[in-house]
PDB file of all heavy atoms in Angstrom:
ATOM      1  N   THR A 107       8.999  -9.851   5.369  1.00  0.00           N
ATOM      2  CA  THR A 107       7.726  -9.191   5.310  1.00  0.00           C
ATOM      3  C   THR A 107       7.934  -7.799   4.590  1.00  0.00           C
ATOM      4  O   THR A 107       8.990  -7.333   4.540  1.00  0.00           O
ATOM      5  CB  THR A 107       7.082  -8.991   6.683  1.00  0.00           C
ATOM      6  OG1 THR A 107       7.924  -8.098   7.453  1.00  0.00           O
ATOM      7  CG2 THR A 107       6.838 -10.255   7.440  1.00  0.00           C
ATOM      8  N   THR A 108       6.793  -7.282   4.111  1.00  0.00           N
ATOM      9  CA  THR A 108       6.908  -5.946   3.450  1.00  0.00           C
ATOM     10  C   THR A 108       5.438  -5.350   3.435  1.00  0.00           C
ATOM     11  O   THR A 108       4.463  -6.004   3.817  1.00  0.00           O
ATOM     12  CB  THR A 108       7.443  -6.038   2.121  1.00  0.00           C
ATOM     13  OG1 THR A 108       7.665  -4.741   1.556  1.00  0.00           O
ATOM     14  CG2 THR A 108       6.493  -6.737   1.132  1.00  0.00           C
ATOM     15  N   ASP A 109       5.380  -4.090   3.009  1.00  0.00           N
ATOM     16  CA  ASP A 109       4.052  -3.481   2.886  1.00  0.00           C
ATOM     17  C   ASP A 109       4.204  -2.459   1.729  1.00  0.00           C
ATOM     18  O   ASP A 109       5.311  -2.222   1.130  1.00  0.00           O
ATOM     19  CB  ASP A 109       3.641  -2.749   4.120  1.00  0.00           C
ATOM     20  CG  ASP A 109       4.634  -1.762   4.670  1.00  0.00           C
ATOM     21  OD1 ASP A 109       5.369  -1.121   3.786  1.00  0.00           O
ATOM     22  OD2 ASP A 109       4.744  -1.536   5.881  1.00  0.00           O
ATOM     23  N   ILE A 110       3.126  -1.845   1.336  1.00  0.00           N
ATOM     24  CA  ILE A 110       3.077  -1.055   0.123  1.00  0.00           C
ATOM     25  C   ILE A 110       3.931   0.232   0.351  1.00  0.00           C
ATOM     26  O   ILE A 110       4.447   0.781  -0.662  1.00  0.00           O
ATOM     27  CB  ILE A 110       1.632  -0.651  -0.144  1.00  0.00           C
ATOM     28  CG1 ILE A 110       1.591   0.043  -1.612  1.00  0.00           C
ATOM     29  CG2 ILE A 110       1.035   0.274   0.853  1.00  0.00           C
ATOM     30  CD1 ILE A 110       2.018  -0.840  -2.687  1.00  0.00           C
ATOM     31  N   PHE A 111       4.172   0.650   1.602  1.00  0.00           N
ATOM     32  CA  PHE A 111       4.977   1.807   1.833  1.00  0.00           C
ATOM     33  C   PHE A 111       6.349   1.522   1.495  1.00  0.00           C
ATOM     34  O   PHE A 111       7.021   2.367   0.836  1.00  0.00           O
ATOM     35  CB  PHE A 111       4.822   2.235   3.290  1.00  0.00           C
ATOM     36  CG  PHE A 111       3.377   2.516   3.708  1.00  0.00           C
ATOM     37  CD1 PHE A 111       2.626   1.608   4.389  1.00  0.00           C
ATOM     38  CD2 PHE A 111       2.829   3.842   3.387  1.00  0.00           C
ATOM     39  CE1 PHE A 111       1.326   1.905   4.813  1.00  0.00           C
ATOM     40  CE2 PHE A 111       1.555   4.086   3.814  1.00  0.00           C
ATOM     41  CZ  PHE A 111       0.782   3.116   4.479  1.00  0.00           C
ATOM     42  N   GLU A 112       6.904   0.380   1.949  1.00  0.00           N
ATOM     43  CA  GLU A 112       8.282   0.068   1.641  1.00  0.00           C
ATOM     44  C   GLU A 112       8.444  -0.226   0.136  1.00  0.00           C
ATOM     45  O   GLU A 112       9.377   0.184  -0.439  1.00  0.00           O
ATOM     46  CB  GLU A 112       8.646  -1.219   2.466  1.00  0.00           C
ATOM     47  CG  GLU A 112      10.079  -1.679   2.149  1.00  0.00           C
ATOM     48  CD  GLU A 112      10.491  -2.954   2.903  1.00  0.00           C
ATOM     49  OE1 GLU A 112       9.613  -3.776   3.069  1.00  0.00           O
ATOM     50  OE2 GLU A 112      11.627  -3.078   3.373  1.00  0.00           O
ATOM     51  N   ILE A 113       7.457  -0.866  -0.375  1.00  0.00           N
ATOM     52  CA  ILE A 113       7.597  -1.249  -1.881  1.00  0.00           C
ATOM     53  C   ILE A 113       7.650  -0.036  -2.690  1.00  0.00           C
ATOM     54  O   ILE A 113       8.469   0.108  -3.623  1.00  0.00           O
ATOM     55  CB  ILE A 113       6.349  -2.129  -2.299  1.00  0.00           C
ATOM     56  CG1 ILE A 113       6.493  -3.488  -1.625  1.00  0.00           C
ATOM     57  CG2 ILE A 113       6.355  -2.278  -3.738  1.00  0.00           C
ATOM     58  CD1 ILE A 113       5.216  -4.298  -1.848  1.00  0.00           C
ATOM     59  N   SER A 114       6.809   1.008  -2.308  1.00  0.00           N
ATOM     60  CA  SER A 114       6.776   2.295  -3.070  1.00  0.00           C
ATOM     61  C   SER A 114       8.159   3.000  -2.895  1.00  0.00           C
ATOM     62  O   SER A 114       8.631   3.566  -3.906  1.00  0.00           O
ATOM     63  CB  SER A 114       5.713   3.200  -2.622  1.00  0.00           C
ATOM     64  OG  SER A 114       5.636   4.420  -3.317  1.00  0.00           O
ATOM     65  N   ARG A 115       8.680   2.979  -1.747  1.00  0.00           N
ATOM     66  CA  ARG A 115       9.975   3.623  -1.528  1.00  0.00           C
ATOM     67  C   ARG A 115      11.036   2.930  -2.241  1.00  0.00           C
ATOM     68  O   ARG A 115      11.985   3.627  -2.870  1.00  0.00           O
ATOM     69  CB  ARG A 115      10.296   3.655   0.037  1.00  0.00           C
ATOM     70  CG  ARG A 115       9.508   4.608   0.847  1.00  0.00           C
ATOM     71  CD  ARG A 115      10.146   4.811   2.179  1.00  0.00           C
ATOM     72  NE  ARG A 115      10.122   3.607   3.008  1.00  0.00           N
ATOM     73  CZ  ARG A 115       9.110   3.248   3.822  1.00  0.00           C
ATOM     74  NH1 ARG A 115       8.133   4.031   4.011  1.00  0.00           N
ATOM     75  NH2 ARG A 115       9.171   2.056   4.465  1.00  0.00           N
ATOM     76  N   GLU A 116      11.113   1.603  -2.201  1.00  0.00           N
ATOM     77  CA  GLU A 116      12.218   0.887  -2.792  1.00  0.00           C
ATOM     78  C   GLU A 116      12.143   0.862  -4.348  1.00  0.00           C
ATOM     79  O   GLU A 116      13.133   0.945  -4.989  1.00  0.00           O
ATOM     80  CB  GLU A 116      12.278  -0.532  -2.244  1.00  0.00           C
ATOM     81  CG  GLU A 116      12.572  -0.613  -0.770  1.00  0.00           C
ATOM     82  CD  GLU A 116      13.951  -0.337  -0.450  1.00  0.00           C
ATOM     83  OE1 GLU A 116      14.853  -0.551  -1.329  1.00  0.00           O
ATOM     84  OE2 GLU A 116      14.219   0.181   0.647  1.00  0.00           O
ATOM     85  N   VAL A 117      10.920   0.663  -4.870  1.00  0.00           N
ATOM     86  CA  VAL A 117      10.809   0.439  -6.332  1.00  0.00           C
ATOM     87  C   VAL A 117      10.615   1.762  -6.972  1.00  0.00           C
ATOM     88  O   VAL A 117      11.196   1.962  -8.120  1.00  0.00           O
ATOM     89  CB  VAL A 117       9.480  -0.427  -6.560  1.00  0.00           C
ATOM     90  CG1 VAL A 117       9.300  -0.530  -8.042  1.00  0.00           C
ATOM     91  CG2 VAL A 117       9.696  -1.756  -5.995  1.00  0.00           C
ATOM     92  N   LEU A 118       9.849   2.657  -6.491  1.00  0.00           N
ATOM     93  CA  LEU A 118       9.612   4.021  -7.179  1.00  0.00           C
ATOM     94  C   LEU A 118      10.334   5.141  -6.598  1.00  0.00           C
ATOM     95  O   LEU A 118      10.275   6.250  -7.119  1.00  0.00           O
ATOM     96  CB  LEU A 118       8.063   4.291  -7.159  1.00  0.00           C
ATOM     97  CG  LEU A 118       7.203   3.253  -7.913  1.00  0.00           C
ATOM     98  CD1 LEU A 118       5.722   3.734  -7.789  1.00  0.00           C
ATOM     99  CD2 LEU A 118       7.572   3.119  -9.312  1.00  0.00           C
ATOM    100  N   LYS A 119      10.911   4.961  -5.427  1.00  0.00           N
ATOM    101  CA  LYS A 119      11.577   6.051  -4.704  1.00  0.00           C
ATOM    102  C   LYS A 119      10.558   7.137  -4.399  1.00  0.00           C
ATOM    103  O   LYS A 119      10.847   8.342  -4.441  1.00  0.00           O
ATOM    104  CB  LYS A 119      12.758   6.616  -5.517  1.00  0.00           C
ATOM    105  CG  LYS A 119      13.787   5.665  -6.106  1.00  0.00           C
ATOM    106  CD  LYS A 119      14.309   4.821  -5.006  1.00  0.00           C
ATOM    107  CE  LYS A 119      15.311   3.749  -5.599  1.00  0.00           C
ATOM    108  NZ  LYS A 119      15.822   2.840  -4.587  1.00  0.00           N
TER     109      LYS A 119
END
Side-chain angles (χ1 to χ4, degrees):
T107 61
T108 190
D109 56 33
I110 191 61
F111 302 98
E112 179 181 38
I113 294 172
S114 180
R115 283 194 299 269
E116 294 289 331
V117 177
L118 298 181
K119 312 302 180 188

